[in-house]
Amino acid sequence: SHSHATCYVQGVEKLMELEPPKRGLYIRYLVSELERIHSHLLWLGVAGHEAGFDSFFMYVWRDREIVMDLLEMITGNRVHYAINAIGGVRRDLDEGQKAKILDGMATLRKRSEYYLNLGANEPSFVARIAGVGYLSLEKAVALCAVGPTARASGWSRDVRKEDPYAVYDELDWEVATATTCDVLGRVVVRIKECLEAYKICEQIVRNLPAGDIAVKAPRKAKPGEVVARYEAPRGENIHYIKSNGTDKPERLKVRAPTLGNYPATVEMLKKGFIADVPLIFAAIDPCICCAERAVTLVNAPNGEESLVGMSDLRRQALARPMNAAAKRNAAWPL
């Protein structure tokens, strides 16, 4: 919820030529990193469940409560944080909250270090995910993979480093990568990213500047267009915003990271087994609603076009009779 809100607000602030106060930016991106931790812990639990490692799932989701409690303390909400305002943030931090955040990061760091050792070395877990969903570095680059999916193939790409925004060029942290190019690498990358996020959160809290948390925004944005980029937990999020000078955007186009990772997912599914499909698909951490798109169907003989939603397209696919080849593909490895 914070990723799309922040990407949009970044673009609007650029259109309005607004510069939020440094304290407001620090708090905004503190929430960004807490959301990254929450998202990765949620995903690690799902990965453990999909691989049959349910004790791992239960441990990680227990720890997820720590960061959700911190987000609720800061923003008032556990899921839809609503901390952003155009020109800054809605809520400030006090000394008691800062101390609780530091305590939470210390606890999570100890547990994540254990999980990194466990996730990379527990024999049955590693055997289930190693080599599954292979995506070479060359294919990751060619298919424009983003986020942990790209970084697990050894591609050190992260918007926070390659196109730093807000406060990230003021902080000490590293891009987490792996070179195994499989689901195991995507597990390792996400745990490493949690460890880096703990560092970032601690730096933000300890170096939180004094001053205001927001500036007043004008009612309308000048005519213009902007592309905002943001490194969401799943990867690069892009918002294209066009203003016509009124108080409403003329155009807003969102390219979510799930949509960006779909071509790479098709590659990862090749030469795999049906039993691997849940693991491979889960490994990109898909947000289905982020990738819901209408499509245009063209009737080739007469050139007629019709706009069809994904639900209608799914119904048409289910209604179409399977030929022999399709039946074989459904029953055997891809």
Side-chain angles (χ1 to χ4, degrees), residues 172-305:
D172 178 28
W173 62 283
E174 300 297 329
V175 176
T177 59
T179 56
T180 54
C181 306
D182 53 10
V183 174
L184 174 60
R186 288 154 217 157
V187 169
V188 170
V189 163
R190 285 182 172 91
I191 301 176
K192 285 183 175 180
E193 286 191 5
C194 284
L195 293 169
E196 292 299 319
Y198 304 148
K199 283 169 51 180
I200 292 173
C201 290
E202 289 169 343
Q203 291 174 69
I204 288 175
V205 169
R206 290 186 175 127
N207 301 306
L208 189 64
D212 296 330
I213 60 170
V215 294
K216 186 173 177 59
R219 178 70 179 171
K220 301 175 182 179
K222 296 177 182 178
E225 57 185 357
V226 68
V227 172
R229 302 172 70 202
Y230 176 89
E231 187 67 30
R234 295 176 172 93
E236 182 185 32
N237 192 17
I238 300 172
H239 282 212
Y240 166 78
I241 309 167
K242 184 176 182 180
S243 167
N244 56 13
T246 68
D247 60 351
K248 297 178 178 63
E250 180 175 309
R251 171 82 168 142
L252 172 62
K253 171 68 175 176
V254 177
R255 203 300 303 270
T258 298
L259 199 64
N261 272 328
Y262 272 174
T265 305
V266 173
E267 177 65 25
M268 289 187 276
L269 288 166
K270 291 179 180 177
K271 299 181 181 179
F273 293 93
I274 295 298
D276 292 335
V277 171
L279 270 174
I280 294 169
F281 193 54
I284 69 167
D285 192 11
C287 175
I288 306 304
C289 62
C290 282
E292 183 83 8
R293 292 289 187 272
V295 298
T296 301
L297 296 182
V298 179
N299 188 328
N302 56 27
E304 291 182 357
E305 295 184 2

Side-chain angles (χ1 to χ4, degrees), residues 8-326:
Y8 177 76
V9 164
Q10 284 180 176
V12 173
E13 287 170 349
K14 190 172 181 180
L15 281 172
M16 291 182 168
E17 299 176 351
L18 275 180
E19 188 171 341
K22 189 59 69 73
R23 186 179 181 91
L25 287 176
Y26 268 59
I27 294 172
R28 177 184 291 174
Y29 295 98
L30 169 67
V31 175
S32 292
E33 294 308 313
L34 289 173
E35 182 184 54
R36 192 179 315 279
I37 296 164
H38 167 243
S39 178
H40 285 349
L41 291 178
L42 187 154
W43 181 89
L44 287 165
V46 171
H49 174 71
E50 294 288 358
F53 195 0
D54 277 337
S55 56
F56 186 58
F57 162 75
M58 288 184 280
Y59 277 128
V60 174
W61 274 41
R62 173 202 62 182
D63 297 343
R64 177 171 158 254
E65 289 296 318
I66 296 174
V67 70
M68 292 185 78
D69 287 344
L70 292 175
L71 284 163
E72 183 181 20
M73 176 190 73
I74 296 166
T75 70
N77 299 296
R78 284 165 59 86
V79 179
H80 296 291
Y81 316 120
I83 189 69
N84 282 318
I86 296 173
V89 293
R90 295 187 305 109
R91 290 191 174 199
D92 206 349
L93 290 179
D94 60 34
E95 292 302 317
Q97 291 172 322
K98 290 163 66 175
K100 288 180 181 178
I101 293 167
L102 293 175
D103 287 345
M105 296 301 101
T107 301
L108 288 169
R109 175 181 284 104
K110 290 177 184 176
R111 294 178 181 178
S112 294
E113 288 170 350
Y114 171 72
Y115 298 148
L116 181 58
N117 180 62
L118 181 70
N121 296 291
E122 203 285 322
S124 57
F125 185 53
V126 171
R128 180 65 187 92
I129 62 178
V132 174
Y134 185 79
L135 181 70
S136 68
L137 172 60
E138 293 74 21
K139 284 291 185 180
V141 174
L143 297 172
C144 303
V146 297
T149 302
R151 293 191 283 275
S153 293
W155 189 10
S156 183
R157 66 163 304 187
D158 189 308
V159 179
R160 296 172 295 167
K161 281 287 188 186
E162 65 190 28
D163 187 13
Y165 50 88
V167 302
Y168 284 105
D169 57 352
E170 302 173 17
L171 304 171
D172 178 28
W173 62 283
E174 300 297 329
V175 176
T177 59
T179 56
T180 54
C181 306
D182 53 10
V183 174
L184 174 60
R186 288 154 217 157
V187 169
V188 170
V189 163
R190 285 182 172 91
I191 301 176
K192 285 183 175 180
E193 286 191 5
C194 284
L195 293 169
E196 292 299 319
Y198 304 148
K199 283 169 51 180
I200 292 173
C201 290
E202 289 169 343
Q203 291 174 69
I204 288 175
V205 169
R206 290 186 175 127
N207 301 306
L208 189 64
D212 296 330
I213 60 170
V215 294
K216 186 173 177 59
R219 178 70 179 171
K220 301 175 182 179
K222 296 177 182 178
E225 57 185 357
V226 68
V227 172
R229 302 172 70 202
Y230 176 89
E231 187 67 30
R234 295 176 172 93
E236 182 185 32
N237 192 17
I238 300 172
H239 282 212
Y240 166 78
I241 309 167
K242 184 176 182 180
S243 167
N244 56 13
T246 68
D247 60 351
K248 297 178 178 63
E250 180 175 309
R251 171 82 168 142
L252 172 62
K253 171 68 175 176
V254 177
R255 203 300 303 270
T258 298
L259 199 64
N261 272 328
Y262 272 174
T265 305
V266 173
E267 177 65 25
M268 289 187 276
L269 288 166
K270 291 179 180 177
K271 299 181 181 179
F273 293 93
I274 295 298
D276 292 335
V277 171
L279 270 174
I280 294 169
F281 193 54
I284 69 167
D285 192 11
C287 175
I288 306 304
C289 62
C290 282
E292 183 83 8
R293 292 289 187 272
V295 298
T296 301
L297 296 182
V298 179
N299 188 328
N302 56 27
E304 291 182 357
E305 295 184 2
S306 59
L307 193 65
V308 180
M310 287 297 292
S311 55
D312 291 331
L313 190 65
R314 192 175 296 113
R315 279 195 292 271
Q316 290 186 31
L318 292 173
R320 180 175 295 181
M322 273 192 180
N323 58 29

